[in-house]
Amino acid sequence: MPADFYAPLPYQGIWMWLGVLLTVLVAGWYGWLLLPRRARTATVQTPGLPEVETLRSRCLAAIEDTAADADAGRVPEREAHQRLSFLVREFAGAATGLPVTSMTLDELRGEGLDTLAEGIAGIYPSEFSARHVQPVRHSADIARQVVHAWN
């Protein structure tokens, strides 16, 4: 009696290549998911910082205007102290390209802006105190010193 045995049909070659491709894709996907990532740091693009002397003269003029407005009574003293602090921060931010207006004193020191941090710390008591700690002219002098000391 002859054997009724038939050999299995061979697979088509395309199925082997599809299996290899699928394996490579899955391995690549897992590799991409598990690959350690470096923390992306925000880089500040400074296309062209303005000339420091121009910034300095504008800031010094604004400091004088603020002190004169406070002396004339057009601006409350506390608001004048706040403006002076902001003017110095704005000047430093324009000169460096850093977001200085939103940085704490420790962050300023961390960026190497120690003179700026000390100047702002000198204005802080009058800026945040409920009573007047020092006259606006004193804070204006501190602001001028910071701006003049800037390199």
Side-chain angles (χ1 to χ4, degrees):
M1 172 157 167
D4 288 338
F5 179 73
Y6 296 103
L9 294 174
Y11 289 105
Q12 294 178 353
I14 192 165
W15 292 111
M16 181 186 72
W17 292 112
L18 283 175
V20 169
L21 178 65
L22 182 63
T23 303
V24 168
L25 287 174
V26 169
W29 182 67
Y30 274 111
W32 180 78
L33 283 178
L34 301 175
L35 195 74
R37 305 258 186 253
R38 284 193 326 195
R40 294 183 183 181
T41 56
T43 56
V44 177
Q45 297 287 336
T46 54
L49 295 175
E51 182 67 33
V52 174
E53 289 305 319
T54 304
L55 292 172
R56 181 176 285 129
S57 64
R58 286 182 191 159
C59 185
L60 290 172
I63 289 170
E64 289 305 317
D65 291 344
T66 301
D69 286 346
D71 288 343
R74 291 186 291 265
V75 175
E77 283 194 30
R78 185 173 183 183
E79 186 178 329
H81 291 288
Q82 291 171 346
R83 281 187 190 180
L84 291 169
S85 176
F86 180 76
L87 287 171
V88 173
R89 284 177 176 267
E90 190 177 48
F91 165 75
T96 62
L98 295 172
V100 177
T101 56
S102 61
M103 295 173 79
T104 65
L105 294 179
D106 288 336
E107 290 172 334
L108 291 173
R109 288 183 185 105
E111 290 290 334
L113 302 172
D114 295 331
T115 305
L116 175 64
E118 294 307 315
I120 292 173
I123 299 172
Y124 267 4
S126 297
E127 185 177 355
F128 294 110
S129 177
R131 59 183 175 82
H132 302 296
V133 176
Q134 62 193 15
V136 175
R137 284 288 168 187
H138 184 265
S139 293
D141 290 339
I142 292 172
R144 274 190 226 97
Q145 289 171 1
V146 170
V147 172
H148 280 300
W150 194 268
N151 292 329

